Every structure is written in C-alpha cells, then in structure tokens.
Amino acid sequence: MSQSKRPGVAEIRVPFRDVDMNGQMFLASYISYAESVIASFWSARPDVDDEPVYSASKISCMLHRPLHHDEPVIFTAAIDKIGTHSIGFLVSIDTGEERAAEVEIIWQARAKDDQLPASLPEETRDWLYGFLD
C-alpha cells in the first residue's frame, strides 16, 4: 500500500490476492485496507499521558460498486463523529471520480486497567476536531 504525504490516505492497485473468482474485491479486503489507513492516520496523533486503549465496537461497509483486479484505488480516512467515549471514522474508497465504497469504524476508549469506558483525552479530542467533516 502506497502512502501519500497526508496520514490517512493510501493509494493501491487492487492485487490479485484480494479478488474472488469473479474478479471482484473481497468485502473483508475493503475493511482491512480501511483499518490500515486509520492506523496511519492515528499514528499522527499527539502524545498523551495515560492514554486509554481503543477497540473497534462497530465496523460496516457500504459497497456502491465492486472494485476489480488491478483497478487504482484511493483510501481516505476522515473523522465522522467524536463522542465522549468514542471516535467514528469514515474511510472513503474512490477510483477515479467515482466513490466505490465507504467503511465506517467506531472505536471505543477504555481504561487500561479495568477496560471500563473512558473519556477521550482533551488533547486527542482537540486534535480530532481539526479533521471533523
């Protein structure tokens, strides 16, 4: 996966390993690439003392049209929602001028010691608001 200059954006050509016998990209591959793009985006966040642990609580994929082998694709992560204890990411999946799919992933913040819901740190929340669509 080729990273762009902005964290949270990646360009690929759909590899053969990610397509089924009909030449269409596996649904799980959309989600896997979306998670990688979010990880790239997340790596640019500010350092926070006593940061909570984040785990996915919801993942959904809206397929507008299937991607095919060797098709050029751009994955772009954006912030969709910022809650008290959660972050909503929306990854757009575009080919040319066409939106092929969107992946929504919700992360829940949890305390490291007891895994109970935790509030998003203020520094993280402020950073996220800079990317809210």
Side-chain angles (χ1 to χ4, degrees), residues 30 62-67 73 93-95 98-102:
Y30 293 87
M62 172 70 75
L63 188 61
H64 302 292
R65 79 142 180 95
L67 294 170
V73 185
I93 303 166
D94 300 309
T95 182
E98 183 180 13
R99 176 75 33 101
E102 296 168 324

Side-chain angles (χ1 to χ4, degrees), residues 44-99:
R45 76 189 182 286
D47 290 329
V48 174
D49 293 333
D50 199 28
E51 184 172 43
V53 177
Y54 298 91
S55 60
S57 63
K58 176 185 177 184
I59 300 176
S60 63
C61 182
M62 172 70 75
L63 188 61
H64 302 292
R65 79 142 180 95
L67 294 170
H68 296 88
H69 173 250
D70 206 35
E71 198 167 4
V73 185
I74 298 175
F75 290 79
T76 306
I79 300 300
D80 187 44
K81 302 170 190 146
I82 302 171
T84 305
H85 306 283
S86 63
I87 307 163
F89 297 95
L90 186 63
V91 178
S92 58
I93 303 166
D94 300 309
T95 182
E97 298 296 318
E98 183 180 13
R99 176 75 33 101

Side-chain angles (χ1 to χ4, degrees), residues 14-70:
V14 176
F16 181 74
R17 71 170 182 265
D18 288 338
V19 298
D20 63 17
M21 64 184 181
N22 297 314
Q24 297 180 357
M25 190 165 159
F26 293 116
L27 190 59
S29 294
Y30 293 87
I31 294 169
S32 179
Y33 285 113
E35 288 178 317
S36 294
V37 169
I38 290 171
S40 164
F41 172 82
W42 194 244
S43 70
R45 76 189 182 286
D47 290 329
V48 174
D49 293 333
D50 199 28
E51 184 172 43
V53 177
Y54 298 91
S55 60
S57 63
K58 176 185 177 184
I59 300 176
S60 63
C61 182
M62 172 70 75
L63 188 61
H64 302 292
R65 79 142 180 95
L67 294 170
H68 296 88
H69 173 250
D70 206 35

Side-chain angles (χ1 to χ4, degrees), residues 1 3 42 103:
M1 184 167 4
Q3 298 295 323
W42 194 244
V103 174

